Amino acid sequence: MSPAPPTPPFLLLQTIEAVTRRGSFREAAEELLVTPSAISHRVHSVEQMLGARLFERVGQGVKPTAAALTLGEAVGAARVQIDRAWQAVAKKNDEHMISVRCMAGFGEHFILPQMDVFRRTFSNIDLDLSSSVYSDAQAVRPYDFVIGLGAPPPGKWQVEPLMPLLMHPVVAPHMLGEMLVDGALSGPLIGYGASRLTWAQIADTLGHHVHPDAKIVTFDSIVSACIAAEHGLGVALAPAFIAARMEREGKAHILCRDRPIDTQLNYWLAAKPEQHGWPSFARFRRWLKTQIAQDKAKR
């Protein structure tokens, strides 16, 4: 008795199972995302190895022989086992779902405009935007990665800087003449809760001064302050990347473009020590830094 031929590659056996189940070369080709000609070649290869016919043509379709039915049943059972194994491995995988918390202003500028690409690239990352600067350990504990500003989160986090926070005062174009009069910022001057800078310091850096009657109002976030300025409600201090975008879109005018306000703060990316070496973290970091570099080139 001659020895049995070697077992064909699983791809070929998968093709036999698909044709057996679908009863058609064309439908099997659609399922496997190949051409009917490719299906025919694969079937012919297995038949040559086996030395027997696997399908008989019947009308517009094909009828499997007993050999094809046997192979199809075995491959179908193997697929079920493979699917079960995959699900089990995926559930145990530490990187199955990653949670990232990001400051709203940063995320709305660098991530949300690319959200379709982000979701396709990082299907296992759950993104949460917040106005918090993350100085509270309790606030960041549930997350794997955090994008924040200023002091890094307490605890054993691996932190690396992303970019300095430079800012510009912005005002709606149609309100420029009312907000800056004879070198004085007449306001309203719109700040936000986490800002460490006073408007007197800002005006001095710009070579101006604050009008004695200027009203100062405080919003809860950079984003809301910028939106208020965009609608002509006052002068707001905007991160350089947001200020540049607002001006490109014709929504704001940057005051004293050549004198950015250096806040002495940095945006940073933090990861828990056990996640810092994850491939997903490395890919996310590279992607994020690419977005930052491309945005800087536009300014």
Side-chain angles (χ1 to χ4, degrees), residues 108 222-233 236 246:
E108 289 179 9
I222 291 176
V223 174
S224 56
C226 291
I227 291 175
E230 177 184 321
H231 286 83
L233 300 181
M246 293 173 69

Side-chain angles (χ1 to χ4, degrees), residues 101-104 129-136 139-140 146-149 194 220-221:
R101 198 168 197 196
C102 178
M103 293 196 67
L129 300 183
S130 170
S131 60
S132 170
V133 293
Y134 312 131
S135 58
D136 181 7
V140 298
V146 177
I147 298 171
L149 174 67
D220 63 348
S221 72

Side-chain angles (χ1 to χ4, degrees), residues 91-111:
K91 288 180 180 179
K92 292 179 180 178
N93 185 359
D94 288 339
E95 294 192 61
H96 180 62
M97 201 64 194
I98 300 170
S99 57
V100 177
R101 198 168 197 196
C102 178
M103 293 196 67
F106 186 96
E108 289 179 9
H109 183 84
F110 289 106
I111 299 178

